[in-house]
Amino acid sequence: MAGHSFADRIAGAPITWGVDPSPGWGHVMDRDRILDEMQAVGLRATELGPDGFLPIDPGELDPLLVRRGMQLVGGFVPVRLYREELLRSELAYAERAAGTLAGAGAATFVLGPASVLDGYDTPIELTDQEWSVFDRALRRLTGICESHGLATALHSHWAMAVDRPEQIERLLETCDVDICLDTGHVALSGGDPLEVARMAGDRVVHVHLKDVDERMAEQVRAGERPFRQAVIDGLFKPLGEGFVDVGGVVRYLEARGYEGWYVLEQDVALSEPPLPGAGPIEDARTSVRYLLDLGI
């Protein structure tokens, strides 16, 4: 991405258009409409999204993207890395996912450090022994990704093994892995995304941008509203409409020479098919306008 302008490094995530196959999530829009709307708001790339959203055969995928002037930049892969008894199967899964991403033309394996608990409603705290297992497994996983020509970017995430500010700090101190900075999840966990960007320095190699409703974030942290329900209720907002200083983070990263992708990832759930020109495209357009108005 070296030499590309800021505007040419803004990508989209399918979840911004409500693409989540889990039961009860809501309506999933037609793939071609989503890609057309990504193109219409000026996005230059997309992440892969959940299994089945985009074809993984380059012969099928490339025409979908090329005719829209877009490319594939990566994919989010949750992997449980802190329990020794799970590592064989989890790393085998990571190997398959890395092969899929690389074969489809992606550059980045966005690692979700998954919990062994179901869902995203119960924050966890690794023991020192679990951190040791996690560190060793993480080294093996980054080696797998390197063998496929992929960068690894660890994505801190609410109720995953790396979530709260002190966990991110420990990760940066004890592990060599690069990170995907997600402004929304850092803020939701009580952290300051700008401070995390400063701590991580050049290890920020991929960025997810989302804004957050402050009142709902407080309810999630207090255990008063489950994370999944909060997301369905509108926890994540278009950029500039929540309490996160997204502009400050972007300006800082650009000033220090960041040349990677900024992925709009505003998780939403749709109750019904949106009318033409309405729905997620409106929030995406608001977010793109916010970024371009930063004047970078």
Side-chain angles (χ1 to χ4, degrees):
M1 291 301 296
H4 287 73
S5 71
F6 170 65
D8 286 336
R9 292 183 286 120
I10 304 173
I15 190 65
T16 303
W17 273 260
V19 180
D20 186 319
S22 59
W25 185 257
H27 173 74
V28 177
M29 296 169 59
D30 176 75
R31 178 183 68 196
D32 285 325
R33 176 177 174 180
I34 292 172
L35 293 175
D36 286 344
E37 292 189 358
M38 285 186 177
Q39 179 190 28
V41 300
L43 303 183
R44 308 302 192 199
T46 181
E47 289 192 352
L48 189 62
D51 291 347
F53 172 64
L54 289 175
I56 58 175
D57 179 348
E60 296 179 59
L61 176 61
D62 290 351
L64 290 175
L65 299 180
V66 170
R67 72 169 176 260
R68 295 176 171 93
M70 297 174 66
Q71 66 185 88
L72 182 69
V73 296
F76 179 83
V77 185
V79 189
R80 299 171 296 177
L81 294 174
Y82 62 94
R83 292 286 177 84
E84 192 76 56
E85 68 274 16
L86 298 176
L87 290 187
R88 182 174 180 179
S89 61
E90 291 293 298
L91 291 174
Y93 163 68
E95 175 89 57
R96 293 192 298 273
T100 296
L101 286 169
T108 304
F109 185 109
V110 182
L111 168 65
S115 168
V116 298
L117 304 177
D118 291 333
Y120 300 120
D121 293 331
T122 307
I124 62 173
E125 186 71 54
L126 301 191
T127 66
D128 287 343
Q129 175 61 28
E130 287 172 334
W131 269 109
S132 179
V133 173
F134 182 85
D135 183 35
R136 294 195 306 272
L138 190 55
R139 294 173 191 275
R140 292 171 63 185
L141 187 143
T142 57
I144 289 170
C145 291
E146 287 173 5
S147 72
H148 287 278
L150 297 172
T152 305
L154 188 142
H155 180 311
S156 66
H157 189 293
W158 178 260
M160 284 193 172
V162 180
D163 167 11
R164 297 184 296 282
E166 61 271 20
Q167 294 170 331
I168 298 171
E169 184 174 8
R170 180 165 183 168
L171 173 83
L172 292 170
E173 290 175 350
T174 61
C175 305
D176 295 330
V177 70
D178 292 326
I179 71 167
C180 168
L181 174 64
D182 186 299
T183 57
H185 278 284
V186 170
L188 177 61
S189 70
D192 179 347
L194 180 55
E195 181 57 32
V196 171
R198 289 176 174 142
M199 281 196 303
D202 292 338
R203 290 167 65 181
V204 177
V205 297
H206 200 66
V207 176
H208 284 177
L209 296 177
K210 54 170 67 77
D211 213 336
V212 184
D213 180 282
E214 187 167 20
R215 181 179 64 87
M216 284 196 200
E218 291 170 352
Q219 292 173 338
V220 172
R221 288 189 213 112
E224 297 168 358
R225 190 188 300 234
F227 171 79
R228 175 187 167 91
Q229 188 59 50
V231 173
I232 293 173
D233 292 342
L235 171 66
F236 296 122
K237 313 291 288 183
L239 303 185
E241 295 189 3
F243 76 96
V244 182
D245 182 14
V246 175
V249 172
V250 172
R251 287 192 180 99
Y252 173 78
L253 291 172
E254 289 297 292
R256 67 167 294 123
Y258 175 74
E259 296 181 332
W261 288 98
Y262 295 94
V263 182
L264 299 184
E265 195 195 40
Q266 180 194 342
D267 305 33
V268 300
L270 304 176
S271 59
E272 59 186 6
L275 295 172
I281 191 173
E282 297 175 294
D283 283 356
R285 187 174 283 120
T286 296
S287 292
V288 170
R289 186 181 306 117
Y290 171 88
L291 292 174
L292 296 182
D293 285 348
L294 294 176
I296 296 173

